Amino acid sequence: MSDQGAYVFGCEGITLSRAERDFFERSQPWGFILFARNVDTPGRLRALTAELRGSVGRNVPIFIDQEGGRVARMAAPHWRVWLPALEQAQLNKRDASRAMYIRYRLIADELMSVGIDGNCAPVADLAFADTHPILRNRCLGEDVVHVVDRALSVAQGLLDGGVLPVVKHFPGHGRATLDSHKELPRVSTRAKTLHNTDFLAFEGLSSLPIGMSAHIVFEDIDPEHPATQSAIMMELIREEIGFGGLLMTDDLSMQALDGPLSLRARRSLDAGCDMVLHCNGNLDEMAEVADATGTLSEIAAFRAENALSWRKSPVSVDISALEAEFQGLMTGQATEN
């Protein structure tokens, strides 16, 4: 049993309050996650990540959702602006994987420069005609082969830049027609179809170190529980998809889940998630989650340690040359495939 908490927490603002520092020192979260509310200038963001690590006294991973496109917590004028991933891929389908690699290698460079070493990407969900707009153009493609190829390129770009990738949303969010931030999506697609499409994409990424679960009910497999809180779905993720890495929940605060936060957390861990994610920075809520969750189990601690072993120093690269190559791919070599 680890003495590290089985949770990743956010914080409220661009600096830590005394109450937050004291709480983090006591509760020892495994990692942190940042949002736009935490982002100011590069210098202040760098100071915040140092403050977060100082509060727990160790080199914890610090995550962010920096997909580019609509989901980008770090924005202009200090950081690059990107097209939504699906739109970028459609501009040059032949070279989409190389372009994705460059995009996320450049993003990794930006993240590492401010002390962030985890990115909640790649999005490995398949895009369908009726995928909810909250997700659709964040996807990497519409079929398994292209999504896996591009997602592996995303992950490698991040890893080469010293940043841990987090594959989302296991075992597939693309068939959701509702926004899980607001309500619980239910997918009626038959299990056989899911195994050959959505789940197969995640199988192709099962060797990566960290994943995030989906708050979605797959009615043909477990009609009672969202995947995050379903022992049946967790077994499917581990056994059929073959994911052996660290599995965290999507944000516990999302309204797809019901009940008090303490119950949401316990249900997720009891089903088989390794740790929970709580994002909004509310101190009282974080205390409730910490009390209900406790420390990492032995197997979760093993997976967490293995995930951190993927952190490497960035591979030396000519950033300006990568930028030029990317621009060439986007403007000079548009192809159809």
Side-chain angles (χ1 to χ4, degrees):
M1 185 76 73
S2 168
D3 59 356
Q4 296 172 21
Y7 32 78
V8 171
F9 283 152
C11 60
E12 192 170 28
I14 61 173
T15 62
L16 292 187
S17 67
R18 170 58 65 86
E20 285 176 318
R21 284 196 300 272
D22 290 347
F23 171 71
F24 293 147
E25 182 180 10
R26 291 193 312 272
S27 62
Q28 288 292 308
W30 182 74
F32 294 102
I33 187 164
L34 299 179
F35 283 79
R37 66 177 183 271
N38 309 120
V39 175
D40 190 6
T41 64
R44 286 178 176 167
L45 185 51
R46 197 177 304 116
L48 176 60
T49 58
E51 206 177 3
L52 287 166
R53 291 190 171 102
S55 72
V56 293
R58 64 184 202 279
N59 185 25
V60 292
I62 298 178
F63 298 92
I64 199 166
D65 292 281
Q66 191 71 3
E67 298 172 15
R70 286 188 300 105
V71 178
R73 315 307 186 193
M74 297 158 55
H78 300 296
W79 296 283
R80 295 178 183 88
V81 174
W82 303 92
L83 286 173
L86 191 60
E87 294 177 22
Q88 178 185 307
Q90 289 168 341
L91 280 177
N92 183 346
K93 294 181 180 179
R94 185 184 68 186
D95 299 310
S97 291
R98 176 62 182 169
M100 285 297 171
Y101 173 88
I102 297 172
R103 169 183 174 135
Y104 284 90
R105 180 62 185 84
L106 295 173
I107 287 174
D109 187 65
E110 292 182 329
L111 298 182
M112 284 293 284
S113 72
V114 292
I116 296 170
D117 59 1
N119 193 7
C120 297
V123 175
D125 309 307
L126 299 185
F128 297 95
D130 57 351
T131 299
H132 193 280
I134 196 74
L135 177 67
R136 192 178 194 282
N137 69 0
R138 297 160 54 196
C139 298
L140 295 169
E142 299 173 321
D143 65 273
V144 172
V145 172
H146 285 108
V147 166
V148 170
D149 190 43
R150 294 165 188 172
L152 288 171
S153 295
V154 169
Q156 196 60 53
L158 292 171
L159 288 165
D160 285 353
V163 173
L164 291 169
V166 179
V167 185
K168 59 189 186 187
H169 307 81
F170 273 89
H173 207 300
R175 294 183 189 272
T177 58
L178 301 176
D179 179 1
S180 56
H181 294 86
K182 298 176 180 178
E183 49 194 328
L184 176 61
R186 303 184 70 89
V187 171
S188 59
T189 307
R190 298 304 298 267
K192 183 177 180 180
T193 300
L194 292 167
H195 292 314
N196 292 328
T197 52
D198 305 62
F199 301 170
L200 191 59
F202 284 85
E203 185 178 337
L205 304 167
S206 61
S207 63
L208 291 171
I210 309 176
M212 180 185 293
S213 68
H215 298 336
I216 295 178
V217 170
F218 294 93
E219 293 179 337
D220 198 37
I221 303 172
D222 182 351
E224 301 298 322
H225 307 98
T228 296
Q229 298 177 341
S230 167
I232 297 170
M233 295 306 302
M234 288 297 129
E235 183 178 9
L236 183 150
I237 289 168
R238 295 301 188 188
E239 300 301 324
E240 180 179 332
I241 290 175
F243 181 64
L246 181 73
L247 188 63
M248 66 175 71
T249 70
D250 205 343
D251 185 11
L252 289 181
S253 301
M254 293 164 65
Q255 294 311 300
L257 304 182
D258 60 13
L261 285 166
S262 55
L263 186 59
R264 297 182 190 194
R266 282 308 330 161
R267 284 173 173 167
S268 303
L269 294 180
D270 289 347
C273 285
D274 293 312
M275 67 176 58
V276 299
L277 178 64
H278 181 275
C279 295
N280 67 22
N282 181 294
L283 195 56
D284 291 338
E285 290 187 7
M286 289 190 287
E288 179 184 350
V289 170
D291 287 345
T293 304
T295 55
L296 291 168
S297 68
E298 186 175 350
I299 185 63
F302 172 81
R303 290 171 179 149
E305 185 177 354
N306 180 67
L308 293 184
S309 75
W310 286 61
R311 290 196 295 193
K312 306 293 183 186
S313 296
V315 176
S316 180
V317 71
D318 184 335
I319 292 296
S320 61
L322 280 183
E323 289 179 318
E325 183 185 351
F326 182 84
Q327 290 305 315
L329 292 174
M330 290 297 97
T331 60
Q333 301 177 22
T335 62
E336 289 298 325
N337 183 18

